[in-house]
Amino acid sequence: MSDVELEAFYKEHLEESIIKQLSKQENISLDEAMNLYYNSKLANYIHEGKYDIQYLDYKVLTDNLIKELQNQDFPC
């Protein structure tokens, strides 16, 4: 497995963990959590590798995502 493939696999697993954690913490469906995540700044930062944010723990990232969503008046 190349470095690029490994990085893509890691990011995919990270996104999955964030979505599951968001669903669990906020008691929402996985579909709702997925929609919120993929429409967030966090998803863009992870996808772009911005600030190396993708190397932080998924629980920390989920907490940051919830704060981001609360600032946008989402029902979290």
Side-chain angles (χ1 to χ4, degrees):
M1 185 178 285
S2 73
D3 289 346
V4 173
E5 291 171 324
L6 185 60
E7 182 76 15
F9 176 79
Y10 176 79
K11 284 181 183 179
E12 183 178 324
H13 181 70
L14 177 64
E15 290 176 328
E16 181 181 313
S17 296
I18 292 169
I19 291 165
K20 286 180 181 177
Q21 186 68 19
L22 179 61
S23 173
K24 179 181 173 183
Q25 278 185 229
E26 297 302 315
N27 196 29
I28 59 176
S29 72
L30 286 172
D31 285 341
E32 289 173 295
M34 191 179 307
N35 183 46
L36 290 172
Y37 170 74
Y38 282 113
N39 288 297
S40 71
K41 291 178 186 177
L42 178 63
N44 289 332
Y45 291 165
I46 289 172
H47 178 72
E48 295 171 2
K50 199 167 191 175
Y51 311 115
D52 287 334
I53 200 166
Q54 71 273 20
Y55 299 117
L56 295 175
D57 181 74
Y58 75 93
K59 289 181 180 178
V60 171
L61 293 172
T62 303
D63 289 342
N64 287 337
L65 175 57
I66 290 169
K67 288 176 187 173
E68 175 189 335
L69 295 172
Q70 288 172 338
N71 289 334
Q72 296 177 8
D73 296 325
F74 279 95
C76 289

